[in-house]
Structures are given as C-alpha cells and as structure tokens.
Amino acid sequence: MFRVQVTSRRRRLTLALLNVVCVLATLEVCCRLFREEKIELIERDAVTGRHLVANFDRQLFNGESGRLVRIRTNSFGFRGAEPVVPKPAGVRRVAVLGDSFIEGFQVDEAETLCGRLTAELNRRDAGGTTWEVLNLGIAGSATADQHLRYLHVLRALDPDVVVVGFGLATDVTDLHPTLSRAPIFRYDFDGAGGLTLRKGSELSAETARILDDHAHLYRWQRERINVAIKTFKTKLNVFDIRNRIFLDPVPEEIEYSWRLFDAILDRFRDDVEADGKRFVLLAIPSGLELYRDRFEAIREIGIAAGYDCRYDAELPERRVREICRRRGVKHVLLHDAFSAACPRSSSQVKSELLYFKGTGHLNPAGNALAARVLADALLQPPHDSTSPADAPARLAADPERAVR
C-alpha cells in the first residue's frame, strides 16, 4: 500500500514537472518566433565586469533620440574605430572612461562628447599634434569598474591623458554595494578601511550570461519586469533612490558612496600618474541640477514620500569639487558652463535643452558644449598654474560662446 502511494506521488510530481517544462519550452519557442529580438550590445567580462560586443557595426534605432544611429565597436570592446597599437608617433591619445553619457548611443560617433572633443582639439591645437580621443563609455558603468578597465584594457593603448567621466545622475548610487542592482564590479571597504573588489557571485554571473546568450524567454521576462517596475514607479511618483544625492543632510547610504568615490578616485589617480599619464576628472551634471521645473517636481515627490528636508541642486557638484581639491585631482566641472547656456533654467525652453527630454542623456548641443569645456582644460599645459576647474568659469563668463 505504502509503495503504491509513493509511486503515485512520484508519478504526479513527474507529470507536473513535465507540464512545467512543456509550458516553458512552448513560451521559449513563441519568443523566438514572434518576439522582435533586442540586440544585446553588452557582454559580461570576468576581468572588468562588462564590455561592449566587439567588432559590431550596424545602424540601430534609438528611442531616446528617435533616430537611427550607427553603432560601431572595435576589437577591444568599446565604441569607435580600431586604435592603432603601438600608438603612432605624433599622436596625442586621450581616453575617456564613463557610463552611457560618454558612450552616447543616442547620437552618431561624431556627435558624441568624444567625437566633438576630437574635432575641437585638432581644430584648436596649432602645434602640429594629432589628437585622438578614445570612447571607453559603457552603459551602467561606474568609477570602480572604470578603474579596472584602465588597469586591464586601457594601459595597453598607451593614452597620454585619462579622463574619467563622473555622471552625477547615477554614478554616486552605482558605486554603492547594495543601492544599485547594475551587474558591475564594485569596490567596498574592508575591515581595515582599505578598498577590496567585489565581483558578486561568479556562479550567478555565469548563469545569467548563459541565459542571456541562449534563453529568449529569460531576456523577454527580464525586459518586461524592468518596464513594469519603471511604469509602476512613474505612476505612483515613487522617489527615485538616485535623487537622494540632493538631500541635506546627506543620507547615510549616500555618504557611504561619497566615501567610496573619494577612496577610489585617490587610487585611480595614483595608478594613472604612476604610469606617467595625465589624470582628469570630468563631472557631468544631470538635467535636474539645471532645470528648476524638473528639480521642483522631484522635490515634491520626495516630500510626498516622506523626505521632508532640504533639497539642494548644487550639493553633488560641491561635493565633487571638495573631494578633488582635497585629493589634488585635476577636475573639470561642467555645471557653470551648462548653467550659463540655460539662463532661464527651464526644460520648457527648447532652445536651451542640453539633454534629451530635459533629464535624459546629453543631446548634440550638450555634447558639443561639454567638449569645448574639456578641450579648454586639456589644451592647458600640465604645469599651468590654472586648474582645469577654472575652464567652466571662463565659459560661464561668456554665455554667447557657451551656446555656439
């Protein structure tokens, strides 16, 4: 009697599992047959965490800019033409690391910050130097994995200048070990206050990679869940965790991220300068910092969510300036030049928009202005007593030049 019951239970369990497998298999087939496949341009990397798919060259439609954009990558897994190794004589190579603001998939190569910077430097340098700018932007990247990318990829390309783009919209929270779910490598503090690398679970990462590569159903449900979460937060006016960078007093978890940034920046600068290269930090503001109407909207959402405290749009920029000055890091802050280009501080004034949709990625005008400010800093001799941080102030004093 007992054996009959056990056999019956096993049979039912086996049938149930087979039903689940059949349903999943059917859904996978449907996804492959009827779902328009989204092209994945990022691959997981055991050394740096992630890189772009190598040797890719296609036109893709970008929803944010509403246009077809040519996306071309090289064998090193970043956007642009194949860099020559070893670096040719007479070439001054600038490498710009960063996240999607540097990557610039919303526009063609020539319209990205790096593309504009290439043209700006070669136009303005009368000394006969050929400037080459490498775009090492990777969407979702942060300062920690950018440091790894420098150590393991960029060193071989022998850059003369290393520029680290620090996006104030997302990078502060992306550095935190738990605030962000982006699948990137991060540094954290060890028991002695030093930095230790956190790669996450290698088994989980490998499982996710296999599913990404082979399971259409997995990719589809991941995309739909992400869309549902964003829609839910938008409809309920949920206060975005990234906007906590504007709260004063600074929340404990944001303060932790700033401390991490301080320590990582110090190590990053030391490694670059030990190689005899020039290190520059480029701080990129978000649209929330420039357009009062957008900032007031997130302030109201925050108060409704229980964050009834002071909101300071310039707090992140001041924090970056303070850290860089204390560490002696050459830095370029775009805030002043961008503010000069947006005197009415409203995202409703279309002629003053530097970002897609007001708070998205940099549009062509934003990239062009950022490139002019950065070129001002890079064309100064390294021994010049004027800090690169003063370049935005010079543009701010000449608003007409800032918007040309």
Side-chain angles (χ1 to χ4, degrees):
M1 182 68 174
F2 179 73
R3 288 181 178 177
V4 172
Q5 289 178 344
V6 170
T7 302
S8 179
R9 287 175 183 172
R10 286 178 176 171
R11 184 177 297 140
R12 288 199 299 269
L13 180 59
T14 301
L15 289 174
L17 290 174
L18 286 174
N19 283 333
V20 170
V21 170
C22 288
V23 170
L24 292 175
T26 301
L27 291 173
E28 175 69 18
V29 170
C30 289
C31 283
R32 290 174 180 265
L33 291 176
F34 304 114
R35 171 178 171 263
E36 184 178 353
E37 182 62 13
K38 182 179 179 181
I39 297 175
E40 295 287 345
L41 291 174
I42 293 182
E43 293 181 335
R44 296 180 186 272
D45 185 314
V47 177
T48 63
R50 304 193 307 169
H51 61 254
L52 296 181
V53 172
N55 302 315
F56 183 89
D57 193 348
R58 280 185 59 181
Q59 280 204 324
L60 300 177
F61 180 79
N62 184 272
E64 188 175 1
S65 60
R67 55 187 275 196
L68 283 171
V69 177
R70 182 190 178 191
I71 305 298
R72 176 180 60 158
T73 66
N74 50 51
S75 65
F76 291 89
F78 58 85
R79 191 174 183 186
E82 186 74 12
V84 176
V85 181
K87 181 179 62 182
V91 170
R92 188 160 177 79
R93 182 169 281 173
V94 179
V96 186
L97 295 138
D99 61 7
S100 53
F101 274 73
I102 300 300
E103 180 186 68
F105 275 178
Q106 300 73 31
V107 295
D108 289 320
E109 280 181 29
E111 294 179 307
T112 62
L113 191 158
C114 293
R116 297 282 192 176
L117 182 61
T118 302
E120 194 75 18
L121 290 170
N122 284 302
R123 179 180 67 83
R124 291 165 54 181
D125 189 348
T129 299
T130 298
W131 290 82
E132 179 186 59
V133 182
L134 306 181
N135 181 348
L136 280 90
I138 306 288
S141 178
T143 316
D145 62 306
Q146 290 158 21
H147 178 236
L148 296 175
R149 198 161 291 117
Y150 170 75
L151 295 177
H152 300 289
V153 178
L154 186 50
R155 269 178 167 162
L157 300 177
D158 190 23
D160 299 281
V161 184
V162 175
V163 178
V164 175
F166 187 72
L168 296 174
T170 59
D171 277 6
V172 179
T173 50
D174 280 346
L175 284 173
H176 197 280
T178 59
L179 284 183
S180 172
R181 298 180 62 190
I184 57 177
F185 291 171
R186 293 180 175 85
Y187 285 115
D188 200 356
F189 292 116
D190 58 24
L195 291 175
T196 183
L197 184 63
R198 291 180 53 165
K199 293 187 174 183
S201 169
E202 293 187 8
L203 177 60
S204 298
E206 182 62 18
T207 301
R209 185 192 66 77
I210 293 172
L211 290 172
D212 271 339
D213 289 344
H214 303 290
H216 291 230
L217 176 61
Y218 170 78
R219 293 200 295 271
W220 174 82
Q221 63 83 27
R222 184 189 61 194
E223 293 166 11
R224 299 319 304 169
I225 289 175
N226 288 337
V227 169
I229 290 173
K230 290 180 181 178
T231 303
F232 176 77
K233 287 182 176 179
T234 301
K235 288 185 176 180
L236 292 185
N237 285 334
V238 175
F239 189 60
D240 194 325
I241 193 170
R242 294 173 295 188
N243 294 333
R244 294 184 193 178
I245 62 172
F246 301 115
L247 300 182
D248 186 14
V250 179
E252 182 178 348
E253 64 275 14
I254 300 299
E255 183 62 36
Y256 192 86
S257 287
W258 281 120
R259 287 177 50 218
L260 277 171
F261 172 66
D262 190 337
I264 296 168
L265 185 66
D266 190 42
R267 177 182 290 187
F268 206 155
R269 184 272 317 275
D270 286 351
D271 285 341
V272 171
E273 293 186 350
D275 291 337
K277 315 300 182 184
R278 188 180 179 190
F279 181 87
V280 178
L281 182 88
L282 175 70
I284 307 171
S286 74
L288 293 174
E289 298 170 64
L290 300 173
Y291 303 119
R292 283 194 297 266
D293 56 327
R294 295 302 183 97
F295 189 77
E296 182 61 25
I298 68 109
R299 190 185 74 84
E300 292 176 357
I301 293 172
I303 291 174
Y307 296 94
D308 193 3
C309 58
R310 183 168 179 260
Y311 289 73
D312 187 345
E314 297 183 6
L315 179 59
E317 191 261 358
R318 288 202 307 273
R319 193 63 181 269
V320 170
R321 187 192 300 270
E322 169 198 326
I323 291 171
C324 288
R325 284 181 172 172
R326 186 176 68 255
R327 292 291 188 183
V329 172
K330 296 293 184 181
H331 52 288
V332 177
L333 307 179
L334 296 177
H335 186 277
D336 289 347
F338 274 37
S339 294
C342 309
R344 284 170 281 191
S345 301
S346 172
S347 65
Q348 303 307 307
V349 182
K350 303 302 183 185
S351 61
E352 295 182 5
L353 284 182
L354 300 174
Y355 306 80
F356 287 109
K357 302 177 182 178
T359 56
H361 292 90
L362 293 175
N363 63 20
N367 282 319
L369 179 54
R372 290 198 293 272
V373 176
L374 184 54
D376 262 4
L378 297 183
L379 289 171
Q380 294 175 17
H383 60 275
D384 195 311
S385 59
T386 304
S387 166
D390 295 329
R394 291 198 299 277
L395 280 186
D398 182 3
E400 290 188 2
R401 179 185 172 196
V403 297
R404 278 205 300 267

